[in-house]
Amino acid sequence: MSGVLVVGGGIAGTAAALAAARAGARVTLLDGGTGATTLSTGALDDVPWAQTAQTPALPRPPPATATRAVLEALDAYAVPDAGAGIATTAGVLRPARGHDLALLDLRPFASGRLGVVRCDRPDWDAAALARAWGAGFTPLEATVLRHVDERLLPAADFAARHDDEARLGWLAERLRAALSRARARFDALLLPPSLGVERERARALSARVGLPCGEAAGLPGGPSGLRFERARDRALAAAQVEHLRGRATAVEREGSPWRVALAEGTALEATAVVLAAGGLVGGGLAYTPGDAAEASVLPPGSREPFHLALRAPGVRLGAHGRPLELPGSLFGIPPESLAWPFTADALMDRVGALVDDDGRAAPGLYLAGEMVADAHRTWLRALESGLRAGSSAARDALSATAERSPSAFAAPSSRP
Amino acid sequence: MQVADGPASSDADVYDVAIIGGGVNGTGVARDLALRGLKVVLFERNDLAFGASGNSSGMIHGGVRYLSSAPHVTEQSCRDSGYIQHIAPHLLFRMPFLMPVKSSRQARVMFELIDAYFRAYDDYQPLKHGQPHCRLDPGELSRLEPGLRGSIVGGISFDEWGIDGARLCVLNALDAILHGGRVHVHTTVERVARTPGEDESGGARYLVEARDRTTQERIRACARVVVNATGAWTTITAALGGLPQERVRVRPGKGIHVFIDRRVTNYGIVSETIDGRQIFLYPWQNMSVIGTTDDDYYGDLDDVHATSEEVRYLVQGVARVFPSVRAARAIGTWAGVRPTLYAYGPNEDALSREHEVVDHAGDGAPGVYSMVGGKLASYRIFAQELSDLVARREFESAVPCSTHIRPLPGGESVPDALGMAERYAMTPVAVRRVVYRHGAIASRILERTARRPAEREVICPCEPVMEAEVRHVVREELACTVDDVARRTRLGLGACGGMRCAARCGQIVAEERGLSPSQGLVMAREFLVRQARTRVVAMGPEQARQEALALAHTRASLGET
């Protein structure tokens, strides 16, 4: 039996597990596979970036110590105090609170000359992107593809090729050759999402080229999500968190410990549980419209269209601070209130479990990340909610251990 | 009718005929009159095929439903379908349909009646190069379409032709331009007035004042004849010219279609809704379509969209014979408003879709005509009727109509797509689609890529659409926004909903039009929002996840709306 069981391996679950382990609890993390975090493009936000772009002058508090600790444990991200500037393959320059270390932060090169490295891949038209990003960006003629098939490889598979030391050396040589051919001087080089999967290789490449090199943020589903998974696995192992693969189907409590049933029929027990299985994208929340059941003529009637994907008695869903209500129409909730783009804060974007300030939905049961109602669906907010839920759960687990056998309390605290 | 103040024609271009409305009726008339040597100008408030023409079922059908009440309409429709195949051979595709007969007390009689009805229809099939109908037993039906369910006593097959309605409008407008016409898109007519000192001997009688809705530039045109071809907007347009509205009443009938991400059947399937209306599930271009509804509509004509109730009505109707359609993934809806002839009382389906030319001479406006009603399949006949009248009466022209003989741009011949794919070393699928959309002009687009290899880039992988084609439709086909490009090329209308291509397309459009890249992104975002709006009404459990992902994606790469 664990002290704390975390369900969900995204950034919220990872932060919860690391926080609980740091507080001294025995932690197990149950990971059901790729969710919204692994769809991250590598640009990290606290509030949606369009809001930041509208008020760039507002001061931004530095990340809390606990947040810093998680970022250090992952060793794959930077959150500069001044924020970051990221170029995206959609042709936008966007502010970000932080970034995957493989991404090039443009802030230091505000008046510099940036080379957009030519690479014949579908999402990377260097000339068009340089024009879209504006003054200061110039295409740089170079060879990045080594084999014909690389033109159409998925971005993550292409990036994995640069995990190889020799291949990275080859790329560095090509870039150095391109720089010496180019008449102009460059301050930094932008590449498509391609720099490694096992670890980011931007720092290694920069050292070899002698110039800061980094990625632009691509589409969701690129290498940044895979780099997160690798960084998470390393961080969890270092913190001695037990990492299991599997999908939870129900959370129940009979007597003292929580019992989490798994899809394959087994169950896990824990004193405290953190649910961070994601929202609609991650699969922690599900949507069923009014007439999804087989109905020959009319829909069977109204019910709440949202529910948790795993059974957790006592957890109430809501949005805008209120519990969900039955829709007033046989056809369910009208799409006008449900989904983007009808309203700026569509129900689909706000719905989740109602929790208190500690992330608690019931005694010993905590929720984090996109499963929680009304949270901004951003990477750093998910991390913070994971921290909150993880440290609260650890408190519950440790006080329970202390009550049962005071001597057991010594074991976790001997960890680094 | 108002009288224009001041010397009207001083800063206005002079035309023979001004046409208001860029749907299939307006562009059809523009082409017809331009081919007769008249100088025409056309104003379209939104984009070509923005209304009913671009949101129709996409069929050039033979008017089988009129067979018992008005067989001459069926004959005329079938003959014209043959003409359209002749002038735009690249744009038509065969659409075989199956009509299953569900078992009931009168099933055997129904089956015989249907069989006899289509036997009569067979007489007209040769006019449109269609196959005669077949009588099928239940075994044959389920071999042809294994997804058919329920107790079926048999069925028949019949043959129709499909078309891309938006491209049909664009080609008509392009041909009008090729023959000296002028077409203003995104330009709304604000006033039609009599010019002072009107000239009965053949000079201009009307001043049309319009405003370009993007640049706010004012455009003035003088013309002897004004044609109101604004479909569901007809009554509004008439009011601009001070004409009595009751003369051009239309009964606006909203029709929606639901689109499924792939072709889920090989044949079109006829089914019935809960209230006994006939609806269809049919493969169309790269997807399957369910249509259509018919309801009175009195909302904003510039912003028509489907509701979730309408979507469910259609899906439930088709599911009666093809239940697996419930599990299919709907990727969007189209909504348009038909300009049905006004009639009081009968339910919407019984209203005639036939058309009528209204001459406003009796309203004190000689030389002003309204086109009321009409449908995509008979657009050419309607355009010919009006053009014959206008040419004879207003211009004493004896030049006969030639729209049924002379090919539309690109319709001269259908190039060999596979051969071209080999010659230009491109994927056959992409070339096949370019040839479908552009016919003989496809070789000009591919020629561009030979000079500029970067333009071979496939921007929209779903359809697929390559960069050269996007640039072509901006330069040559009056496309001004991402939305316009999508209407002409189907870019972003496939399974991914524009997530992968809208931003890039916006950049290209902005570049071609000399706009800033950020304006291109604004266009891309507007397009994505429009597309999302057509999707969410058809949203099921899986779609909700994808919609949430689309939101996250747009937010990540383009910022929030």
Side-chain angles (χ1 to χ4, degrees):
Chain A
M1 190 182 105
S2 302
V4 175
L5 174 66
V6 179
V7 179
I11 183 58
T14 304
L18 293 175
R22 210 180 159 77
R26 269 170 53 99
V27 185
T28 302
L29 184 137
L30 181 69
D31 172 13
T34 298
T37 307
T38 38
L39 294 169
S40 159
T41 61
L44 312 184
D45 296 308
D46 43 8
V47 294
W49 66 267
Q51 291 179 24
T52 325
Q54 281 160 14
T55 53
L58 282 184
R60 331 197 60 191
T65 322
T67 307
R68 283 230 178 270
V70 173
L71 292 168
E72 273 162 27
L74 287 170
D75 186 28
Y77 299 96
V79 180
D81 283 342
I86 300 294
T88 77
T89 57
V92 179
L93 297 178
R94 56 162 286 186
R97 187 69 192 87
H99 61 95
D100 178 338
L101 284 170
L103 267 55
L104 187 69
D105 177 8
L106 302 173
R107 291 270 154 117
F109 311 106
S111 55
R113 188 181 165 88
L114 288 118
V116 184
V117 177
R118 268 201 210 275
C119 174
D120 184 21
R121 284 178 48 81
D123 57 347
W124 194 259
D125 179 338
L129 286 172
R131 268 194 308 277
W133 289 328
F137 294 87
T138 319
L140 174 68
E141 214 59 59
T143 316
V144 176
L145 303 186
R146 193 168 184 180
H147 305 285
V148 196
D149 70 315
E150 289 173 353
R151 207 184 102 68
L152 294 172
L153 271 188
D157 291 340
F158 178 49
R161 302 212 161 171
H162 292 117
D163 286 332
D164 178 45
E165 204 58 44
R167 173 64 191 264
L168 194 73
W170 180 87
L171 175 62
E173 249 171 62
R174 292 289 157 281
L175 293 179
R176 275 204 307 274
L179 285 167
S180 65
R181 268 199 313 276
R183 293 211 190 89
R185 247 185 46 80
F186 288 96
D187 296 305
L189 298 183
L190 263 172
L191 289 111
S194 58
L195 300 179
V197 161
E198 289 303 323
R199 276 177 193 283
E200 59 83 17
R201 307 309 306 274
R203 282 178 291 186
L205 183 68
S206 307
R208 286 167 186 244
V209 177
L211 207 59
C213 297
E215 296 177 350
L219 297 177
S224 190
L226 290 179
R227 287 194 289 261
F228 165 78
E229 289 188 342
R230 303 296 197 278
R232 171 199 66 194
D233 294 351
R234 287 192 294 267
L236 292 178
Q240 294 177 28
V241 172
E242 187 187 10
H243 187 177
L244 303 178
R245 302 282 300 182
R247 196 163 271 273
T249 54
V251 186
E252 298 142 339
R253 177 168 224 175
E254 288 163 19
S256 167
W258 286 95
R259 193 172 166 279
V260 177
L262 302 190
E264 68 254 38
T266 55
L268 298 169
E269 289 194 339
T271 313
V273 171
V274 177
L275 295 181
L280 277 167
V281 174
L285 291 178
Y287 166 79
T288 321
D291 69 339
E294 279 296 315
S296 56
V297 183
L298 276 177
S302 276
R303 59 191 145 80
E304 287 178 6
F306 291 100
H307 51 96
L308 279 187
L310 69 171
R311 231 156 13 84
V315 177
R316 286 230 58 182
L317 293 194
H320 304 285
R322 297 188 300 273
L324 280 188
E325 284 171 3
L326 280 183
S329 149
L330 274 179
F331 293 101
I333 295 180
E336 296 79 69
S337 67
L338 192 62
W340 177 77
F342 297 92
T343 55
D345 53 359
L347 188 54
M348 220 170 74
D349 208 33
R350 300 286 299 248
V351 71
L354 297 172
V355 296
D356 70 9
D357 289 344
D358 289 334
R360 185 186 292 113
L365 181 63
Y366 298 86
L367 281 90
E370 292 194 4
M371 275 189 134
V372 178
D374 300 320
H376 279 309
R377 307 307 202 208
T378 60
W379 203 90
L380 284 162
R381 282 289 148 81
L383 188 157
E384 287 161 8
S385 74
L387 280 176
R388 240 185 341 264
S391 36
S392 308
R395 240 186 345 261
D396 287 2
L398 292 172
S399 65
T401 326
E403 277 164 29
R404 261 200 307 275
S405 75
S407 63
F409 189 63
S413 61
S414 66
R415 280 188 204 151
Chain B
M1 174 131 301
Q2 301 168 26
V3 175
D5 23 277
S9 40
S10 57
D11 62 336
D13 290 329
V14 180
Y15 297 91
D16 293 323
V17 182
I19 298 151
I20 310 173
V24 79
N25 286 340
T27 56
V29 167
R31 171 176 194 244
D32 196 325
L33 292 172
L35 287 180
R36 296 181 203 228
L38 294 172
K39 202 172 169 218
V40 300
V41 61
L42 184 145
F43 296 97
E44 164 54 50
R45 172 177 164 80
N46 295 296
D47 182 27
L48 299 173
F50 176 87
S53 309
N55 293 289
S56 68
S57 300
M59 281 201 257
I60 297 291
H61 56 73
V64 62
R65 76 162 75 206
Y66 305 105
L67 190 59
S68 56
S69 58
H72 68 282
V73 177
T74 306
E75 186 189 339
Q76 200 182 29
S77 298
C78 285
R79 178 164 295 123
D80 218 57
S81 171
Y83 289 146
I84 296 170
Q85 285 168 53
H86 171 71
I87 62 172
H90 58 297
L91 210 55
L92 280 100
F93 45 91
R94 196 178 281 280
M95 281 178 29
F97 276 86
L98 300 179
M99 184 188 249
V101 180
K102 295 202 85 166
S103 71
S104 69
R105 259 190 306 162
Q106 306 93 1
R108 302 256 40 122
V109 181
M110 281 303 297
F111 193 12
E112 293 308 323
L113 280 175
I114 291 169
D115 191 28
Y117 193 88
F118 278 90
R119 214 158 33 235
Y121 189 44
D122 286 347
D123 292 346
Y124 302 108
Q125 284 285 9
L127 294 172
K128 64 185 180 76
H129 315 290
Q131 302 289 332
H133 88 291
C134 283
R135 200 182 154 111
L136 303 163
D137 64 33
E140 288 169 326
L141 268 177
S142 73
R143 263 198 304 284
L144 290 173
E145 236 12 288
L148 284 175
R149 287 287 181 279
S151 62
I152 291 168
V153 297
I156 58 116
S157 70
F158 63 98
D159 204 19
E160 297 292 355
W161 291 88
I163 195 167
D164 187 321
R167 285 221 58 84
L168 182 63
C169 293
V170 171
L171 293 186
N172 273 293
L174 288 183
D175 208 31
I177 294 171
L178 282 175
H179 290 88
R182 186 84 204 271
V183 175
H184 297 279
V185 287
H186 298 290
T187 300
T188 184
V189 169
E190 294 189 321
R191 201 163 75 110
V192 181
R194 286 292 276 275
T195 52
E198 87 187 35
D199 176 8
E200 279 306 326
S201 61
R205 288 184 293 205
Y206 294 99
L207 171 71
V208 179
E209 290 184 331
R211 178 172 52 85
D212 186 318
R213 293 174 81 196
T214 36
T215 63
Q216 305 304 326
E217 181 199 346
R218 307 201 78 82
I219 297 162
R220 290 153 66 89
C222 284
R224 179 157 181 80
V225 172
V226 177
V227 176
N228 172 10
T230 49
W233 285 261
T234 297
T235 317
I236 300 172
T237 313
L240 292 176
L243 296 171
Q245 298 189 19
E246 61 274 13
R247 290 275 286 134
V248 288
R249 270 204 211 161
V250 293
R251 182 166 178 183
K254 179 185 175 192
I256 75 143
H257 293 82
V258 181
F259 296 93
I260 294 166
D261 65 338
R262 68 197 69 189
R263 294 166 74 103
V264 296
T265 59
N266 293 316
Y267 296 87
I269 290 171
V270 182
S271 184
E272 259 185 13
T273 60
I274 183 168
D275 54 346
R277 293 185 52 250
Q278 228 170 42
I279 57 168
F280 307 98
L281 163 70
Y282 54 94
W284 190 85
Q285 301 212 36
N286 289 338
M287 50 195 196
S288 278
V289 178
I290 309 174
T292 174
T293 60
D294 198 343
D295 297 291
D296 283 347
Y297 179 80
Y298 296 100
D300 181 356
L301 292 170
D302 289 335
D303 187 22
V304 186
H305 44 262
T307 67
S308 40
E309 285 81 356
E310 289 167 324
V311 171
R312 283 167 177 135
Y313 167 81
L314 287 178
V315 172
Q316 280 170 3
V318 168
R320 288 152 71 101
V321 292
F322 197 83
S324 62
V325 74
R326 285 181 186 283
R329 178 174 161 233
I331 54 169
T333 54
W334 275 355
V337 178
R338 308 175 182 88
T340 322
L341 289 188
Y342 185 80
Y344 184 77
N347 81 33
E348 293 85 338
D349 257 3
L351 293 173
S352 168
R353 299 282 152 68
E354 286 181 73
H355 50 254
E356 187 183 307
V357 172
V358 177
D359 178 355
H360 291 289
D363 308 320
V368 177
Y369 299 86
S370 286
M371 300 175 83
V372 188
K375 51 194 166 72
L376 189 75
S378 61
Y379 89 94
R380 202 205 58 79
I381 302 172
F382 194 10
Q384 178 177 355
E385 274 173 26
L386 183 102
S387 304
D388 281 347
L389 185 68
V390 166
R392 200 182 57 239
R393 191 187 291 168
E394 305 287 345
F395 299 98
E396 283 150 21
S397 158
V399 184
C401 176
S402 58
T403 54
H404 57 306
I405 311 166
R406 293 163 76 168
L408 283 163
E412 302 80 10
S413 63
V414 184
D416 164 30
L418 296 181
M420 284 168 86
E422 211 164 296
R423 192 156 65 251
Y424 292 98
M426 288 170 144
T427 63
V429 181
V431 177
R432 181 77 192 72
R433 298 309 294 163
V434 177
V435 168
Y436 169 74
R437 288 188 284 264
H438 299 274
I441 293 171
S443 56
R444 237 164 67 201
I445 297 171
L446 295 180
E447 201 46 55
R448 271 185 75 95
T449 67
R451 293 194 304 273
R452 304 179 192 78
E455 291 188 10
R456 292 164 50 161
E457 195 77 71
V458 171
I459 304 290
C460 164
C462 305
E463 185 50 33
V465 180
M466 57 185 120
E467 182 178 329
E469 190 182 352
V470 175
R471 292 190 188 273
H472 174 84
V473 298
V474 177
R475 284 184 189 184
E476 316 271 339
E477 295 190 350
L478 308 166
C480 303
T481 65
V482 175
D483 219 28
D484 297 355
V485 172
R487 210 168 274 118
R488 285 157 182 75
T489 64
R490 301 200 32 78
L491 169 138
L493 302 181
C496 83
M499 289 300 143
R500 291 196 276 178
C501 55
R504 179 75 185 105
C505 178
Q507 285 166 7
I508 296 172
V509 174
E511 201 177 297
E512 286 289 334
R513 293 184 51 211
L515 305 173
S516 74
S518 66
Q519 282 168 298
L521 290 173
V522 168
M523 271 186 238
R525 196 155 45 203
E526 279 168 3
F527 172 73
L528 290 176
V529 168
R530 258 180 74 100
Q531 286 310 108
R533 170 173 280 214
T534 76
R535 278 195 309 268
V536 290
V537 291
M539 193 165 72
E542 276 309 300
Q543 194 94 42
R545 291 185 70 176
Q546 284 155 3
E547 213 48 53
L549 178 58
L551 170 59
H553 180 208
T554 311
R555 186 176 284 163
S557 50
L558 295 178
E560 239 169 319
T561 49

